[in-house]
Amino acid sequence: MNNRLKVCLVLEGTYPFIVGGVSSWVHDMIKGLPDIDFVLLTILPEDYTKTHYELPKNVVAMEKIIFNEKPKNGRKIKKPGNLLKIIRNFHKTKPVNKADQIEDVLKNIQEGFFLHEASVKSALGWEMIQSANQSKNPIFPFSDYYWAWKSTHDLLFTILGSTIPEADIYHSVSTGFAGILSLSAKLRFKKPFLLTEHGLYHKEREMEIRKTHAIRGYQRDMWINFYNRISEICYRSADRITSLFEINRQKQLELGAPADKAYVIPNGIDIDRFKVKRTPREGFHVGLVGRVVPIKDIKTYIAMSKIILEAIPEATIYCIGPTDENPEYYQSCVDLVKSMKIEDRFLFTGRQNVLEYYSFLDVVVLTSVREAQPLVILEAYAAGVPVVSTNVGNVAELLDFDNRFLAPSRDADKLAEGILFIRQHPEEMRIINKKNHLMVKKYYDKIDLHKKYGDLYTDMTKKGS
Amino acid sequence: MAGIGFELRKITNQGKITSFFEATITGIMIVAGPWIFSIIGITITQKLFALTSPESPRLFLGVLIYTYAGSMILWSGIQYLFTRAISDYLFHHQQRRAATLLVKVCIVMLPVSFLIALGAMLPVPLTVQNPFLFRLSAALFFGTISVIWILMMFISLLKWYFRILICYLLGMGCGAVIVWAAAPLLGVTGMLLGFTIGHAIIAIGLLGLSLHRFKPIRFKIVNGRMRQIYQSNKHLFFIGLFLSMGIWGDKIVYWFFRGSAPGNTWFYLFDPYDIAVYYANLFIIPGLLYFTIFTETEFHIYLKKFLLSLNGQPLIEIRKRKYQLKKATRKVMTDQSVFIGMMIMILLISAEHIINFLIPGLTTPLIFRMALCGLFLYFPLITIMNFMFYLQIYTVPLLAVILFFGINTAVAITTAGGFWNLPPGFSYIASLFVADLFILIRFNQSMKKLDQIIFLQ
């Protein structure tokens, strides 16, 4: 008999198919808890087959749910009308009570049964759509409302009818569809649901929705509201909620997370690994460690580099990270570097062993437009390298709210100011670097992080390894 | 077909008596031209034959009727698919592709029909002059009629009504001359030969007109296009098939239960019912004309408004348009029923006089009246079927025609077999009544949730 704890990690668009901070965090955690078995359940927009991480031995199973594939009804339920009535009552419930009502809905949706057809083909389903339209958007084209409704709900229906592997605990690494799927598992198998958020899923979706031209007007509100409601339901229904830093925890509480169930478990890194021997090089070396993708805002980094190179001609600027995730964006960055005539001092290195660079970099820069608690800052501090960054996510807290090193998003000038300050104040920076290193050692050690999650799993399941 | 209706409606809307007659004649030409010319042609042919040969024309009539029945049943599914394919091509302004498909279908249909008919005729013992020529003519006639059905579908594209009329006159004229010349030498074989050649000339003429207007593009005969069309429109194929089988079901039953065949052939006919139906169907023309000019166009107008509202209007506007469509549909169907009903009523009252004038002694007033009642009940079925085709709802019409065929055949067997003492035509009326009721109820249900149906398509 297998007494090992089995954790089902429910992931949306991340590990092990997509590289990124969350994926790295998941990968490290699985490796850091070798006595626990993990089952991966990844929700993807399409069927990716290539994994970017070598799966540790304690990953015992891996399954995918593909959004773009419309699943066939594997079973019929006796009275779909009853289910639709429950759903109708759910929609009539006030938003503040929806989290309580949702359990009723989810309990009645069985595995293998998908509501795509019943929701629109049945008289009750159609009446629900029309009533919602009349109450919310009576003067706008009905076709727009219908297709927006269908788009949002089809995703949900795919999730709710999907097969979920059995496990002792369901750990979702975001709210959204992963969170709903974990909640569904909790109700189906009567197992605990742990929710961890790096960024805030509904806020990130809201930013994306507001940027896109495809969704406008009331449809935008519909989508934003949809994601907010899902997050709220996840917060109210999860047995425990963790976030990386207090600001995010507060935002979770604002949306209904119970204070006694919400904790902060910050990120962690392998301190010893990043305690590199510093071998400074001649000149001045500035590096950004990250993927060449729009969210990292490499273009602001390039603009900042131009300012730095005008002030410090002997400086060398590095962009250290994979360039193959978004070839078009990468090419536009290369073109920008050429147009600024800095191609001899600005280098795209591709995927590298960052430890080598941490040994000689004078500054690490982060220009992201969106982050949670960037591991790269912790790594740089562990290696004794100062950081200048845009003020996103938890960055301000990590940089001790020191505005000399913080800049608003897309502010190349302010970023350059921070770098020049570091260059011009070496003595002060030695003190600051040491302080940062001690902070990381004390609060952001990976061993503590993994222990905390291991204890949390045990506590929630009352089953040890 | 709505396009023709709108053209004719434009003419009638001019308000002059001459424009009314112009629309009527044009409309008759389009909806029933071939039918009328066939009847005229058969009548003239029979009269000519009677003057030139002492033989009985019954075998000739047998071949004719079996040809019409067989070609309708065999090819009606394909005709429906063909109509659908042509409509799609026209919608996308691909007239040349439509012409290409026409040629391909004719190339396949003609030899296949010919061979099937020849195969059916070969074992038939004939006591006519030159039996081989008779069999050949019958097979060719079957092939020609099969192709003419398809050409009729395509003809609606052409607005060369005068040229089409010339085609028919030429064909019938040539046919009559050949009958006049060949009948004294070959008897009924000559009659059939003349009639066949006349129809072949019509078919060639119509095909020539079609291709002159829309030149086909290069094509392979077998490229899977018809199979593609079948796979995405299976319902249509079976609707056509079962509708034809429904129309002919009771006739076929009566042929073999109560009919007689000329010589030792198997061309069983039951004259009292066959003749009654044949002549009663002449009176389908005013109803078809009314449907084409008024019913279909009115439905089309309101349907278009409703469909436009689905894309870009709020729900309240959609509901308003749906209500207007329902109301307009109810009105046009009522008006049509009243028009046809009044016409049928007059015919029912004057049935004896009509029989005595047209077909004295060949049928009875009762059977003729049954045929007229069947005609009245036929219209709601085809009208609603057409409406449902516009809405791309095919399951309900399919079920309706299956009901029609099933009940018609089953009841016909019981009446023809003597289990019930009911006249021929009763099964036709009963089955149409049930099919009409079914399709009307389902159509009503569909209209109530039409917006939902369209969004889900």
Side-chain angles (χ1 to χ4, degrees), chain A residues 21-22 197-200 204 243-245 247-248 267 295-296 366 368-375 377 390-398:
Chain A
V22 173
E197 278 200 292
H198 286 233
L200 291 173
E204 289 172 2
S243 52
L244 298 185
F245 47 94
I247 293 173
N248 266 11
N267 256 337
I295 201 174
K296 298 293 181 191
L366 199 59
S368 304
V369 292
R370 200 169 75 226
E371 287 283 357
Q373 191 174 71
L375 290 172
I377 293 179
T390 45
N391 187 0
V392 290
N394 186 227
V395 168
E397 190 180 322
L398 294 177

PDB file of all heavy atoms in Angstrom, chain A residues 21-22 197-200 204 243-245 247-248 267 295-296 366 368-375 377 390-398:
ATOM      1  N   GLY A  21       8.585  32.065 -14.721  1.00  0.00           N
ATOM      2  CA  GLY A  21       8.798  32.091 -13.279  1.00  0.00           C
ATOM      3  C   GLY A  21       7.957  31.064 -12.549  1.00  0.00           C
ATOM      4  O   GLY A  21       8.450  30.356 -11.666  1.00  0.00           O
ATOM      5  N   VAL A  22       6.694  30.976 -12.913  1.00  0.00           N
ATOM      6  CA  VAL A  22       5.798  30.030 -12.242  1.00  0.00           C
ATOM      7  C   VAL A  22       6.262  28.603 -12.515  1.00  0.00           C
ATOM      8  O   VAL A  22       6.306  27.766 -11.609  1.00  0.00           O
ATOM      9  CB  VAL A  22       4.345  30.226 -12.718  1.00  0.00           C
ATOM     10  CG1 VAL A  22       3.430  29.141 -12.174  1.00  0.00           C
ATOM     11  CG2 VAL A  22       3.836  31.604 -12.302  1.00  0.00           C
ATOM     12  N   GLU A 197      -1.210  31.875  -5.336  1.00  0.00           N
ATOM     13  CA  GLU A 197      -1.165  32.847  -6.424  1.00  0.00           C
ATOM     14  C   GLU A 197       0.195  33.517  -6.459  1.00  0.00           C
ATOM     15  O   GLU A 197       0.681  33.978  -5.434  1.00  0.00           O
ATOM     16  CB  GLU A 197      -2.255  33.906  -6.240  1.00  0.00           C
ATOM     17  CG  GLU A 197      -3.621  33.466  -6.719  1.00  0.00           C
ATOM     18  CD  GLU A 197      -4.546  34.635  -6.977  1.00  0.00           C
ATOM     19  OE1 GLU A 197      -4.940  35.325  -6.022  1.00  0.00           O
ATOM     20  OE2 GLU A 197      -4.884  34.854  -8.161  1.00  0.00           O
ATOM     21  N   HIS A 198       0.767  33.598  -7.641  1.00  0.00           N
ATOM     22  CA  HIS A 198       1.981  34.391  -7.826  1.00  0.00           C
ATOM     23  C   HIS A 198       1.533  35.807  -8.154  1.00  0.00           C
ATOM     24  O   HIS A 198       1.650  36.695  -7.336  1.00  0.00           O
ATOM     25  CB  HIS A 198       2.853  33.775  -8.925  1.00  0.00           C
ATOM     26  CG  HIS A 198       3.536  32.522  -8.475  1.00  0.00           C
ATOM     27  ND1 HIS A 198       4.898  32.327  -8.571  1.00  0.00           N
ATOM     28  CD2 HIS A 198       3.039  31.394  -7.905  1.00  0.00           C
ATOM     29  CE1 HIS A 198       5.205  31.137  -8.085  1.00  0.00           C
ATOM     30  NE2 HIS A 198       4.097  30.550  -7.673  1.00  0.00           N
ATOM     31  N   GLY A 199       1.062  36.008  -9.368  1.00  0.00           N
ATOM     32  CA  GLY A 199       0.395  37.283  -9.659  1.00  0.00           C
ATOM     33  C   GLY A 199      -1.061  37.131  -9.278  1.00  0.00           C
ATOM     34  O   GLY A 199      -1.474  36.104  -8.750  1.00  0.00           O
ATOM     35  N   LEU A 200      -1.872  38.132  -9.572  1.00  0.00           N
ATOM     36  CA  LEU A 200      -3.316  38.032  -9.343  1.00  0.00           C
ATOM     37  C   LEU A 200      -3.954  37.767 -10.698  1.00  0.00           C
ATOM     38  O   LEU A 200      -3.944  38.621 -11.595  1.00  0.00           O
ATOM     39  CB  LEU A 200      -3.867  39.322  -8.734  1.00  0.00           C
ATOM     40  CG  LEU A 200      -3.409  39.593  -7.303  1.00  0.00           C
ATOM     41  CD1 LEU A 200      -3.872  40.970  -6.851  1.00  0.00           C
ATOM     42  CD2 LEU A 200      -3.928  38.535  -6.332  1.00  0.00           C
ATOM     43  N   GLU A 204      -4.383  40.228 -13.975  1.00  0.00           N
ATOM     44  CA  GLU A 204      -3.592  40.029 -15.185  1.00  0.00           C
ATOM     45  C   GLU A 204      -4.511  39.912 -16.399  1.00  0.00           C
ATOM     46  O   GLU A 204      -4.249  40.478 -17.459  1.00  0.00           O
ATOM     47  CB  GLU A 204      -2.740  38.758 -15.042  1.00  0.00           C
ATOM     48  CG  GLU A 204      -1.605  38.919 -14.037  1.00  0.00           C
ATOM     49  CD  GLU A 204      -0.884  37.622 -13.754  1.00  0.00           C
ATOM     50  OE1 GLU A 204      -1.237  36.578 -14.363  1.00  0.00           O
ATOM     51  OE2 GLU A 204       0.044  37.631 -12.928  1.00  0.00           O
ATOM     52  N   SER A 243      -0.022  33.492  -0.920  1.00  0.00           N
ATOM     53  CA  SER A 243       0.452  34.459  -1.915  1.00  0.00           C
ATOM     54  C   SER A 243       1.912  34.740  -1.623  1.00  0.00           C
ATOM     55  O   SER A 243       2.437  34.330  -0.583  1.00  0.00           O
ATOM     56  CB  SER A 243      -0.375  35.743  -1.842  1.00  0.00           C
ATOM     57  OG  SER A 243      -0.402  36.224  -0.511  1.00  0.00           O
ATOM     58  N   LEU A 244       2.549  35.440  -2.522  1.00  0.00           N
ATOM     59  CA  LEU A 244       3.995  35.646  -2.369  1.00  0.00           C
ATOM     60  C   LEU A 244       4.327  36.831  -1.468  1.00  0.00           C
ATOM     61  O   LEU A 244       5.421  36.882  -0.898  1.00  0.00           O
ATOM     62  CB  LEU A 244       4.635  35.871  -3.755  1.00  0.00           C
ATOM     63  CG  LEU A 244       4.509  34.714  -4.738  1.00  0.00           C
ATOM     64  CD1 LEU A 244       5.298  35.034  -6.001  1.00  0.00           C
ATOM     65  CD2 LEU A 244       5.017  33.419  -4.138  1.00  0.00           C
ATOM     66  N   PHE A 245       3.438  37.785  -1.366  1.00  0.00           N
ATOM     67  CA  PHE A 245       3.731  38.965  -0.553  1.00  0.00           C
ATOM     68  C   PHE A 245       2.424  39.580  -0.069  1.00  0.00           C
ATOM     69  O   PHE A 245       1.345  39.305  -0.585  1.00  0.00           O
ATOM     70  CB  PHE A 245       4.578  39.982  -1.323  1.00  0.00           C
ATOM     71  CG  PHE A 245       4.104  40.282  -2.718  1.00  0.00           C
ATOM     72  CD1 PHE A 245       3.266  41.368  -2.970  1.00  0.00           C
ATOM     73  CD2 PHE A 245       4.500  39.484  -3.787  1.00  0.00           C
ATOM     74  CE1 PHE A 245       2.852  41.651  -4.253  1.00  0.00           C
ATOM     75  CE2 PHE A 245       4.073  39.768  -5.079  1.00  0.00           C
ATOM     76  CZ  PHE A 245       3.239  40.851  -5.311  1.00  0.00           C
ATOM     77  N   ILE A 247       1.018  42.524  -0.063  1.00  0.00           N
ATOM     78  CA  ILE A 247       0.145  43.392  -0.872  1.00  0.00           C
ATOM     79  C   ILE A 247      -0.864  42.524  -1.627  1.00  0.00           C
ATOM     80  O   ILE A 247      -2.062  42.828  -1.687  1.00  0.00           O
ATOM     81  CB  ILE A 247       0.966  44.260  -1.851  1.00  0.00           C
ATOM     82  CG1 ILE A 247       1.801  45.251  -1.052  1.00  0.00           C
ATOM     83  CG2 ILE A 247       0.055  44.972  -2.836  1.00  0.00           C
ATOM     84  CD1 ILE A 247       2.790  46.062  -1.888  1.00  0.00           C
ATOM     85  N   ASN A 248      -0.375  41.459  -2.187  1.00  0.00           N
ATOM     86  CA  ASN A 248      -1.277  40.559  -2.923  1.00  0.00           C
ATOM     87  C   ASN A 248      -2.269  39.890  -1.978  1.00  0.00           C
ATOM     88  O   ASN A 248      -3.440  39.694  -2.318  1.00  0.00           O
ATOM     89  CB  ASN A 248      -0.482  39.500  -3.685  1.00  0.00           C
ATOM     90  CG  ASN A 248      -0.220  39.927  -5.119  1.00  0.00           C
ATOM     91  OD1 ASN A 248      -0.449  41.081  -5.472  1.00  0.00           O
ATOM     92  ND2 ASN A 248       0.276  39.014  -5.940  1.00  0.00           N
ATOM     93  N   ASN A 267       8.562  33.654  -2.193  1.00  0.00           N
ATOM     94  CA  ASN A 267       9.416  32.846  -3.059  1.00  0.00           C
ATOM     95  C   ASN A 267      10.718  32.477  -2.361  1.00  0.00           C
ATOM     96  O   ASN A 267      11.086  33.087  -1.355  1.00  0.00           O
ATOM     97  CB  ASN A 267       9.746  33.634  -4.345  1.00  0.00           C
ATOM     98  CG  ASN A 267       8.951  33.128  -5.516  1.00  0.00           C
ATOM     99  OD1 ASN A 267       8.498  31.982  -5.512  1.00  0.00           O
ATOM    100  ND2 ASN A 267       8.765  33.973  -6.499  1.00  0.00           N
ATOM    101  N   ILE A 295       6.294  41.156 -22.120  1.00  0.00           N
ATOM    102  CA  ILE A 295       6.022  41.418 -20.713  1.00  0.00           C
ATOM    103  C   ILE A 295       7.284  41.878 -19.992  1.00  0.00           C
ATOM    104  O   ILE A 295       7.220  42.584 -18.989  1.00  0.00           O
ATOM    105  CB  ILE A 295       5.400  40.164 -20.052  1.00  0.00           C
ATOM    106  CG1 ILE A 295       4.653  40.549 -18.774  1.00  0.00           C
ATOM    107  CG2 ILE A 295       6.444  39.102 -19.783  1.00  0.00           C
ATOM    108  CD1 ILE A 295       3.897  39.403 -18.145  1.00  0.00           C
ATOM    109  N   LYS A 296       8.446  41.542 -20.512  1.00  0.00           N
ATOM    110  CA  LYS A 296       9.723  41.966 -19.914  1.00  0.00           C
ATOM    111  C   LYS A 296      10.143  43.344 -20.406  1.00  0.00           C
ATOM    112  O   LYS A 296      11.098  43.922 -19.906  1.00  0.00           O
ATOM    113  CB  LYS A 296      10.836  40.946 -20.249  1.00  0.00           C
ATOM    114  CG  LYS A 296      10.577  39.548 -19.707  1.00  0.00           C
ATOM    115  CD  LYS A 296      10.628  39.500 -18.191  1.00  0.00           C
ATOM    116  CE  LYS A 296      10.400  38.080 -17.692  1.00  0.00           C
ATOM    117  NZ  LYS A 296      10.187  38.034 -16.252  1.00  0.00           N
ATOM    118  N   LEU A 366      15.649  45.104 -14.207  1.00  0.00           N
ATOM    119  CA  LEU A 366      14.382  44.429 -14.557  1.00  0.00           C
ATOM    120  C   LEU A 366      13.447  45.519 -15.069  1.00  0.00           C
ATOM    121  O   LEU A 366      13.192  46.501 -14.371  1.00  0.00           O
ATOM    122  CB  LEU A 366      13.799  43.759 -13.311  1.00  0.00           C
ATOM    123  CG  LEU A 366      12.774  42.661 -13.491  1.00  0.00           C
ATOM    124  CD1 LEU A 366      13.320  41.510 -14.305  1.00  0.00           C
ATOM    125  CD2 LEU A 366      12.293  42.155 -12.147  1.00  0.00           C
ATOM    126  N   SER A 368      10.299  44.759 -16.460  1.00  0.00           N
ATOM    127  CA  SER A 368       9.003  44.130 -16.729  1.00  0.00           C
ATOM    128  C   SER A 368       7.836  45.080 -16.485  1.00  0.00           C
ATOM    129  O   SER A 368       7.894  45.926 -15.597  1.00  0.00           O
ATOM    130  CB  SER A 368       8.810  42.915 -15.836  1.00  0.00           C
ATOM    131  OG  SER A 368       9.860  42.007 -15.989  1.00  0.00           O
ATOM    132  N   VAL A 369       6.772  44.871 -17.248  1.00  0.00           N
ATOM    133  CA  VAL A 369       5.541  45.635 -17.012  1.00  0.00           C
ATOM    134  C   VAL A 369       4.640  44.882 -16.025  1.00  0.00           C
ATOM    135  O   VAL A 369       3.676  45.422 -15.507  1.00  0.00           O
ATOM    136  CB  VAL A 369       4.763  45.902 -18.317  1.00  0.00           C
ATOM    137  CG1 VAL A 369       5.518  46.853 -19.202  1.00  0.00           C
ATOM    138  CG2 VAL A 369       4.455  44.620 -19.049  1.00  0.00           C
ATOM    139  N   ARG A 370       4.980  43.621 -15.791  1.00  0.00           N
ATOM    140  CA  ARG A 370       4.183  42.852 -14.851  1.00  0.00           C
ATOM    141  C   ARG A 370       5.045  41.773 -14.219  1.00  0.00           C
ATOM    142  O   ARG A 370       5.741  41.037 -14.908  1.00  0.00           O
ATOM    143  CB  ARG A 370       3.012  42.200 -15.576  1.00  0.00           C
ATOM    144  CG  ARG A 370       1.872  41.790 -14.659  1.00  0.00           C
ATOM    145  CD  ARG A 370       0.640  41.405 -15.421  1.00  0.00           C
ATOM    146  NE  ARG A 370       0.761  40.104 -16.039  1.00  0.00           N
ATOM    147  CZ  ARG A 370       0.406  39.848 -17.297  1.00  0.00           C
ATOM    148  NH1 ARG A 370      -0.088  40.796 -18.064  1.00  0.00           N
ATOM    149  NH2 ARG A 370       0.529  38.643 -17.788  1.00  0.00           N
ATOM    150  N   GLU A 371       5.051  41.720 -12.904  1.00  0.00           N
ATOM    151  CA  GLU A 371       5.765  40.675 -12.189  1.00  0.00           C
ATOM    152  C   GLU A 371       5.009  40.386 -10.897  1.00  0.00           C
ATOM    153  O   GLU A 371       4.169  41.169 -10.478  1.00  0.00           O
ATOM    154  CB  GLU A 371       7.197  41.121 -11.834  1.00  0.00           C
ATOM    155  CG  GLU A 371       8.179  41.183 -12.991  1.00  0.00           C
ATOM    156  CD  GLU A 371       8.691  39.821 -13.418  1.00  0.00           C
ATOM    157  OE1 GLU A 371       8.341  38.801 -12.777  1.00  0.00           O
ATOM    158  OE2 GLU A 371       9.442  39.773 -14.395  1.00  0.00           O
ATOM    159  N   ALA A 372       5.375  39.263 -10.287  1.00  0.00           N
ATOM    160  CA  ALA A 372       4.843  39.003  -8.952  1.00  0.00           C
ATOM    161  C   ALA A 372       5.994  39.269  -7.967  1.00  0.00           C
ATOM    162  O   ALA A 372       6.187  40.368  -7.510  1.00  0.00           O
ATOM    163  CB  ALA A 372       4.336  37.576  -8.854  1.00  0.00           C
ATOM    164  N   GLN A 373       6.737  38.224  -7.701  1.00  0.00           N
ATOM    165  CA  GLN A 373       7.915  38.367  -6.841  1.00  0.00           C
ATOM    166  C   GLN A 373       9.090  37.783  -7.623  1.00  0.00           C
ATOM    167  O   GLN A 373       9.374  36.595  -7.506  1.00  0.00           O
ATOM    168  CB  GLN A 373       7.686  37.598  -5.542  1.00  0.00           C
ATOM    169  CG  GLN A 373       8.720  37.883  -4.459  1.00  0.00           C
ATOM    170  CD  GLN A 373       8.331  37.183  -3.163  1.00  0.00           C
ATOM    171  OE1 GLN A 373       8.406  35.966  -3.071  1.00  0.00           O
ATOM    172  NE2 GLN A 373       7.941  37.957  -2.178  1.00  0.00           N
ATOM    173  N   PRO A 374       9.743  38.619  -8.404  1.00  0.00           N
ATOM    174  CA  PRO A 374      10.720  38.076  -9.359  1.00  0.00           C
ATOM    175  C   PRO A 374      11.899  37.385  -8.673  1.00  0.00           C
ATOM    176  O   PRO A 374      12.592  37.984  -7.836  1.00  0.00           O
ATOM    177  CB  PRO A 374      11.188  39.296 -10.145  1.00  0.00           C
ATOM    178  CG  PRO A 374      10.455  40.468  -9.603  1.00  0.00           C
ATOM    179  CD  PRO A 374       9.633  40.062  -8.457  1.00  0.00           C
ATOM    180  N   LEU A 375      12.105  36.153  -9.085  1.00  0.00           N
ATOM    181  CA  LEU A 375      13.216  35.377  -8.537  1.00  0.00           C
ATOM    182  C   LEU A 375      14.555  36.001  -8.916  1.00  0.00           C
ATOM    183  O   LEU A 375      15.529  35.887  -8.163  1.00  0.00           O
ATOM    184  CB  LEU A 375      13.153  33.936  -9.070  1.00  0.00           C
ATOM    185  CG  LEU A 375      11.995  33.089  -8.540  1.00  0.00           C
ATOM    186  CD1 LEU A 375      11.931  31.762  -9.287  1.00  0.00           C
ATOM    187  CD2 LEU A 375      12.142  32.854  -7.054  1.00  0.00           C
ATOM    188  N   ILE A 377      15.559  38.970  -8.881  1.00  0.00           N
ATOM    189  CA  ILE A 377      16.030  39.962  -7.899  1.00  0.00           C
ATOM    190  C   ILE A 377      16.674  39.222  -6.718  1.00  0.00           C
ATOM    191  O   ILE A 377      17.762  39.598  -6.248  1.00  0.00           O
ATOM    192  CB  ILE A 377      14.883  40.868  -7.427  1.00  0.00           C
ATOM    193  CG1 ILE A 377      14.396  41.741  -8.603  1.00  0.00           C
ATOM    194  CG2 ILE A 377      15.309  41.732  -6.243  1.00  0.00           C
ATOM    195  CD1 ILE A 377      13.238  42.671  -8.286  1.00  0.00           C
ATOM    196  N   THR A 390      11.663  48.261 -12.547  1.00  0.00           N
ATOM    197  CA  THR A 390      10.346  48.910 -12.599  1.00  0.00           C
ATOM    198  C   THR A 390       9.559  48.474 -11.372  1.00  0.00           C
ATOM    199  O   THR A 390       9.748  47.370 -10.854  1.00  0.00           O
ATOM    200  CB  THR A 390       9.570  48.515 -13.866  1.00  0.00           C
ATOM    201  OG1 THR A 390       9.699  47.107 -14.055  1.00  0.00           O
ATOM    202  CG2 THR A 390      10.124  49.233 -15.077  1.00  0.00           C
ATOM    203  N   ASN A 391       8.687  49.353 -10.931  1.00  0.00           N
ATOM    204  CA  ASN A 391       7.943  49.119  -9.694  1.00  0.00           C
ATOM    205  C   ASN A 391       6.651  48.353 -10.010  1.00  0.00           C
ATOM    206  O   ASN A 391       5.579  48.940 -10.166  1.00  0.00           O
ATOM    207  CB  ASN A 391       7.602  50.459  -9.031  1.00  0.00           C
ATOM    208  CG  ASN A 391       6.987  50.260  -7.666  1.00  0.00           C
ATOM    209  OD1 ASN A 391       6.807  49.142  -7.199  1.00  0.00           O
ATOM    210  ND2 ASN A 391       6.670  51.361  -7.011  1.00  0.00           N
ATOM    211  N   VAL A 392       6.791  47.052 -10.103  1.00  0.00           N
ATOM    212  CA  VAL A 392       5.630  46.208 -10.386  1.00  0.00           C
ATOM    213  C   VAL A 392       5.604  45.071  -9.370  1.00  0.00           C
ATOM    214  O   VAL A 392       6.657  44.703  -8.814  1.00  0.00           O
ATOM    215  CB  VAL A 392       5.692  45.626 -11.817  1.00  0.00           C
ATOM    216  CG1 VAL A 392       5.485  46.709 -12.852  1.00  0.00           C
ATOM    217  CG2 VAL A 392       7.002  44.903 -12.077  1.00  0.00           C
ATOM    218  N   GLY A 393       4.430  44.541  -9.130  1.00  0.00           N
ATOM    219  CA  GLY A 393       4.303  43.407  -8.224  1.00  0.00           C
ATOM    220  C   GLY A 393       4.900  43.718  -6.866  1.00  0.00           C
ATOM    221  O   GLY A 393       4.626  44.756  -6.262  1.00  0.00           O
ATOM    222  N   ASN A 394       5.742  42.817  -6.420  1.00  0.00           N
ATOM    223  CA  ASN A 394       6.344  42.909  -5.095  1.00  0.00           C
ATOM    224  C   ASN A 394       7.729  43.545  -5.146  1.00  0.00           C
ATOM    225  O   ASN A 394       8.467  43.538  -4.146  1.00  0.00           O
ATOM    226  CB  ASN A 394       6.404  41.480  -4.518  1.00  0.00           C
ATOM    227  CG  ASN A 394       6.865  41.438  -3.095  1.00  0.00           C
ATOM    228  OD1 ASN A 394       7.737  40.637  -2.735  1.00  0.00           O
ATOM    229  ND2 ASN A 394       6.343  42.319  -2.247  1.00  0.00           N
ATOM    230  N   VAL A 395       8.107  44.083  -6.260  1.00  0.00           N
ATOM    231  CA  VAL A 395       9.473  44.609  -6.450  1.00  0.00           C
ATOM    232  C   VAL A 395       9.807  45.678  -5.418  1.00  0.00           C
ATOM    233  O   VAL A 395      10.903  45.679  -4.846  1.00  0.00           O
ATOM    234  CB  VAL A 395       9.632  45.149  -7.885  1.00  0.00           C
ATOM    235  CG1 VAL A 395      10.918  45.946  -8.014  1.00  0.00           C
ATOM    236  CG2 VAL A 395       9.627  44.009  -8.884  1.00  0.00           C
ATOM    237  N   ALA A 396       8.895  46.565  -5.167  1.00  0.00           N
ATOM    238  CA  ALA A 396       9.181  47.671  -4.234  1.00  0.00           C
ATOM    239  C   ALA A 396       9.585  47.132  -2.872  1.00  0.00           C
ATOM    240  O   ALA A 396      10.552  47.615  -2.260  1.00  0.00           O
ATOM    241  CB  ALA A 396       7.965  48.580  -4.122  1.00  0.00           C
ATOM    242  N   GLU A 397       8.869  46.107  -2.425  1.00  0.00           N
ATOM    243  CA  GLU A 397       9.197  45.519  -1.112  1.00  0.00           C
ATOM    244  C   GLU A 397      10.589  44.900  -1.152  1.00  0.00           C
ATOM    245  O   GLU A 397      11.377  45.056  -0.216  1.00  0.00           O
ATOM    246  CB  GLU A 397       8.141  44.461  -0.767  1.00  0.00           C
ATOM    247  CG  GLU A 397       8.248  43.967   0.678  1.00  0.00           C
ATOM    248  CD  GLU A 397       7.172  42.918   0.995  1.00  0.00           C
ATOM    249  OE1 GLU A 397       6.026  43.064   0.523  1.00  0.00           O
ATOM    250  OE2 GLU A 397       7.503  41.953   1.703  1.00  0.00           O
ATOM    251  N   LEU A 398      10.896  44.194  -2.235  1.00  0.00           N
ATOM    252  CA  LEU A 398      12.211  43.572  -2.341  1.00  0.00           C
ATOM    253  C   LEU A 398      13.319  44.622  -2.395  1.00  0.00           C
ATOM    254  O   LEU A 398      14.427  44.403  -1.901  1.00  0.00           O
ATOM    255  CB  LEU A 398      12.281  42.683  -3.593  1.00  0.00           C
ATOM    256  CG  LEU A 398      11.369  41.453  -3.596  1.00  0.00           C
ATOM    257  CD1 LEU A 398      11.484  40.703  -4.930  1.00  0.00           C
ATOM    258  CD2 LEU A 398      11.702  40.514  -2.448  1.00  0.00           C
TER     259      LEU A 398
END
